[in-house]
Amino acid sequence: MNSPLSIFFLLVATALTAAAVDAPARVEMREVATHEQIVEAARIAREAAPPSVFKPAEGEDPSKVNKPGDLISRSDILCFQGRATLVPKRAVLHIPKGLADRVGMKPGSQIGSWTEFLTANRAWIRTVPVTRIQAEGNAPMPEGVVKSFDKEQRVVIATYQEGPISVLPLKQVDPTAPVGAEGPSNTSPPNIAKP
């Protein structure tokens, strides 16, 4: 007799049997560690692995040798109609002759953020996105982009992730140096067009 009621009872019996088989094993309880036991375990761990001994750095103190200059000396200033903004040195890739007066601080101008200044002066500023590798001078900028600066009538600013960034001169690897040597030499022409 295969009535729906008998099938239901068969399914319930199967489910109960499976639940009894899959029941979790009983977990043993253990005592909580006391404060003294924790302190003793920490002492043993410290003795087993003593702290590293650091050797003092040789040479001059880098924090004294590499002191950065003030913000103004490390920046170029773009200024127009009473508003100004700071961009890093070498971020200005091209300045046409007609716009040379817009580089440098003018008396009475207020310094604002790059984003606000760019939005207000989009007509005479062109941004060129560069990769980090290009900004470090380890890869050239596309030749077509650099050649376009010759005909450009706007100030060209290098940007990385929407913000201005310095572009270092292109580095070339010395072909006579072994692989993994000190690194690329800095004897090549700059990566950017001159104003």
Side-chain angles (χ1 to χ4, degrees), residues 145-167:
V145 172
V146 174
K147 284 185 178 181
S148 72
F149 298 164
D150 295 337
K151 297 178 183 177
E152 185 61 62
Q153 297 299 312
R154 299 174 287 178
V155 173
V156 179
I157 308 291
T159 59
Y160 176 71
Q161 296 181 350
E162 310 270 330
I165 187 171
S166 298
V167 177

Side-chain angles (χ1 to χ4, degrees), residues 130-142 166-173 182-186 188-191:
V130 296
T131 65
R132 184 176 176 141
I133 295 170
Q134 290 170 336
E136 292 171 346
N138 294 326
M141 292 177 61
S166 298
V167 177
L168 298 177
L170 182 62
K171 300 173 187 173
Q172 287 184 340
V173 177
E182 286 297 312
S185 64
N186 201 3
S188 65
N191 192 16

Side-chain angles (χ1 to χ4, degrees), residues 60-146:
E60 298 183 53
D61 183 2
S63 66
K64 294 179 181 174
V65 175
N66 300 323
K67 283 195 174 196
D70 63 305
L71 182 63
I72 301 297
S73 70
R74 294 182 291 139
S75 304
D76 284 329
I77 300 174
L78 300 177
C79 189
F80 185 63
Q81 294 184 344
R83 307 279 258 167
T85 192
L86 302 174
V87 295
K89 292 271 188 198
R90 296 180 165 263
V92 180
L93 301 179
H94 173 73
I95 305 169
K97 291 179 184 175
L99 299 177
D101 63 331
R102 297 185 185 180
V103 177
M105 189 67 174
K106 306 288 185 275
S109 297
Q110 292 183 342
I111 295 180
S113 73
W114 161 251
T115 308
E116 292 171 355
F117 189 82
L118 178 62
T119 303
N121 298 289
R122 185 55 103 171
W124 61 272
I125 296 176
R126 173 185 167 196
T127 60
V128 175
V130 296
T131 65
R132 184 176 176 141
I133 295 170
Q134 290 170 336
E136 292 171 346
N138 294 326
M141 292 177 61
E143 190 175 328
V145 172
V146 174

